[in-house]
Amino acid sequence: MASTRGEFSSRFGFVMAAAGSAVGLGNIWGFPTQAASNGGAAFLLVYLILAFTLAYPALMAELIIGRHAHANAVNALRLISTGPATHKIGTTVGVIGFIVAGMILSFYAIVAGWMISFCLASLAEFFGMQAVADWLTSFGMTRNLFFMLIFLVLTVGIISEGVREGIERWSARLMPLLLVSLILLVLYVCTLDGAMEGLKVYLLPDFERALSPKLIIAALGSAFFSLSLGVGTMLIYGSYISDEENLPVVGGLVTTVDIMIAVIAGFLVLPAMYVALHNGVEIFTASGALISEDTLIFTVLPELFATMGLAGIVVSFIFFFLMSIAALTSSISMLEVPVAYTIEEHGLSRKTAVYGIGCAIAVFSATILVNFETLFGLVIAFTTRYSQPILGFMFCVYAGWVWQRDKVLKEVQKGSPQVEHTLFWKIWPWYVKLVCPVVILAIFAQSLWGG
Ligand code: TRP
């Protein structure tokens, strides 16, 4: 079966692809300010513990199910089902998963399009084309539609090439580029006046804030989004791993790279914000919290770059280039979910499936743009706050309850014959059976009632 499907050629290729999926806009625009506003180094510590004790086991559930079935989420959940009821529920979960993955991509493409347009705006400014730069950085329907489409064309182009030639090749090229540009920016920004103040805010530990239950649950939610869990992305990537690969180790590498990049991004974003403050830019909201997410990226940072002259133009170009790359290696992992399903379930060729689904997502994205005020926030909340936790819960239930434990063990043993005697096997089955589902439900309850 594996020979007719794609497969990653090496451990490096898989880790770059899965880390590429994980490292996205969430890492750079969400994590650093969340850490700084919520206890600094203490939050980092809590986040690290949560990521390894809860998000990593959920990631392993998806990877193991995927590798076992060497198939998309729908077929994989059916394969491990034990009766008609679990068969039906598995099908439903898989189908909802690919619809949600498509919906996440449709809002992600809009935001990623802005990253590309801001990146080009720096070039325009460099060449003195101020009017073009202004058009590229102001919120307008034509600009929004155009760059959303450009971004989707890039995503479709990569996915149409398949697993090895598309996903693996481009992730292995873009991820090192992302890391290098990130480190260059960190080194430069940390030399500017005000940067040290930002580092202090980022790193000074405040345990009281970091240990509040509400915050811990919020941090766990970010860890789940950051590791791309819940919609079958990691399950699909797992299905392309060879049977000789040691799953607990590669899953650990992916988790580590994801967290490492989020932490490094903090060394860029917080110092940059305090340099901005030093240069007279407002970095706090009316309630006194640090400005975060889209306002941070599209208002605060551009205002900072504008105070820095020529250096600002170069830094701005590298920064938005980096954001575009981070978004692209994530978006390809979202598109692969419906594409793999359509190819395997309906026998379409990869190209037909990719173009068809790409068009459908473009139409949905355009619909969101036309009704931006009502739909944009709604689609984000529906997918990330509600659908992801419920689907993530279901994957854990299938790995922990539906699938028999000795069969799971056999699968993990394929690439790691000694696994039965490791700490991983002593802990993981219980985690995925009890701890993960309970905690995921807690996150869900918090997002429903916690405001
Ligand atoms: N993890 C990515 C980020 O941090 C986003 C992402 C990629 C994603 N694939 C996903 C989120 C699947 C949810 C589901 O930005």
Side-chain angles (χ1 to χ4, degrees):
M1 190 193 253
S3 60
T4 58
R5 300 180 85 239
E7 190 173 287
F8 291 113
S9 69
S10 64
R11 175 177 286 192
F12 178 77
F14 167 73
V15 173
M16 285 302 110
S21 165
V23 174
L25 304 178
N27 295 56
I28 301 168
W29 88 9
F31 177 80
T33 40
Q34 197 184 14
S37 315
N38 295 304
F43 179 89
L44 276 185
L45 196 68
V46 171
Y47 187 84
L48 271 178
I49 295 173
L50 289 178
F52 276 104
T53 55
L54 289 163
Y56 168 71
L59 168 68
M60 289 311 300
E62 286 199 33
L63 290 183
I64 296 173
I65 297 179
R67 212 257 314 254
H68 175 70
H70 286 299
N72 66 83
V74 176
N75 290 345
L77 293 180
R78 280 182 191 153
L79 185 74
I80 60 175
S81 295
T82 43
T86 48
H87 191 272
K88 226 188 188 117
I89 297 172
T91 307
T92 314
V93 168
V95 169
I96 296 179
F98 87 69
I99 295 172
V100 171
M103 290 172 79
I104 294 181
L105 177 55
S106 62
F107 76 74
Y108 213 78
I110 295 174
V111 181
W114 297 338
M115 300 295 171
I116 300 180
S117 73
F118 270 71
C119 181
L120 294 180
S122 328
L123 275 187
E125 215 160 294
F126 183 78
F127 290 109
M129 301 188 290
Q130 197 53 46
V132 178
D134 289 345
W135 180 76
L136 286 168
T137 52
S138 34
F139 193 91
M141 185 56 79
T142 325
R143 180 207 68 162
N144 289 348
L145 274 174
F146 183 70
F147 284 98
M148 173 273 282
L149 285 174
I150 298 258
F151 182 78
L152 279 181
V153 167
L154 292 175
T155 308
V156 161
I158 295 180
I159 286 300
S160 69
E161 295 296 316
V163 178
R164 239 179 239 192
E165 295 298 309
I167 300 176
E168 176 171 344
R169 186 153 63 123
W170 282 95
S171 305
R173 278 180 188 164
L174 296 177
M175 287 304 285
L177 196 61
L178 180 143
L179 190 64
V180 170
S181 12
L182 183 62
I183 291 177
L184 284 180
L185 284 182
V186 169
L187 293 178
Y188 177 70
V189 169
C190 282
T191 63
L192 302 176
D193 287 341
M196 288 308 130
E197 192 56 34
L199 274 187
K200 268 193 217 143
V201 174
Y202 182 39
L203 293 176
L204 271 188
D206 174 354
F207 278 97
E208 214 161 293
R209 283 187 99 143
L211 291 177
S212 93
K214 209 171 157 182
L215 194 77
I216 292 183
I217 290 180
L220 194 60
S222 333
F224 267 71
F225 183 80
S226 184
L227 277 174
S228 314
L229 297 175
V231 298
T233 292
M234 288 300 182
L235 191 150
I236 283 289
Y237 276 20
S239 78
Y240 299 137
I241 302 182
S242 105
D243 284 343
E244 279 85 58
E245 191 51 274
N246 184 327
L247 287 181
V249 169
V250 289
L253 285 174
V254 172
T255 313
T256 309
V257 174
D258 182 48
I259 296 174
M260 199 182 71
I261 297 213
V263 172
I264 299 178
F267 285 94
L268 168 65
V269 172
L270 269 302
M273 289 182 90
Y274 279 78
V275 173
L277 182 69
H278 180 85
N279 294 2
V281 177
E282 185 54 72
I283 65 166
F284 298 103
T285 62
S287 63
L290 281 169
I291 291 176
S292 63
E293 302 189 346
D294 50 343
T295 324
L296 164 68
I297 302 293
F298 299 115
T299 310
V300 175
L301 294 183
E303 280 178 17
L304 162 68
F305 301 144
T307 64
M308 289 163 59
L310 183 63
I313 297 180
V314 177
V315 171
S316 164
F317 176 80
I318 302 179
F319 178 77
F320 286 108
F321 179 67
L322 173 146
M323 293 300 272
S324 308
I325 293 179
L328 189 58
T329 53
S330 294
S331 67
I332 56 177
S333 76
M334 297 170 196
L335 182 58
E336 183 62 16
V337 177
V339 165
Y341 168 77
T342 323
I343 296 175
E344 289 167 15
E345 188 75 5
H346 300 292
L348 294 184
S349 77
R350 176 168 278 270
K351 293 237 177 335
T352 316
V354 173
Y355 296 146
I357 295 169
C359 284
I361 290 173
V363 169
F364 193 66
S365 257
T367 313
I368 298 181
L369 275 175
V370 173
N371 304 285
F372 193 80
E373 295 298 320
T374 37
L375 283 186
F376 188 66
L378 200 68
V379 174
I380 295 183
F382 173 75
T383 52
T384 64
R385 285 183 72 174
Y386 305 116
S387 311
Q388 262 191 293
I390 300 178
L391 293 168
F393 170 84
M394 292 305 294
F395 282 120
C396 290
V397 169
Y398 268 77
W401 295 88
V402 178
W403 201 5
Q404 283 114 343
R405 194 178 148 134
D406 53 330
K407 292 194 180 149
V408 182
L409 177 61
K410 276 217 179 75
E411 178 56 43
V412 187
Q413 276 172 332
K414 279 183 190 160
S416 132
Q418 302 302 324
V419 76
E420 212 177 341
H421 311 292
T422 60
L423 193 62
F424 176 79
W425 192 254
K426 293 201 174 82
I427 298 174
W428 180 80
W430 292 107
Y431 258 90
V432 76
K433 201 173 180 130
L434 294 170
V435 184
C436 289
V438 169
V439 175
I440 295 173
L441 282 188
I443 300 179
F444 186 58
Q446 132 88 15
S447 76
L448 275 187
W449 296 295

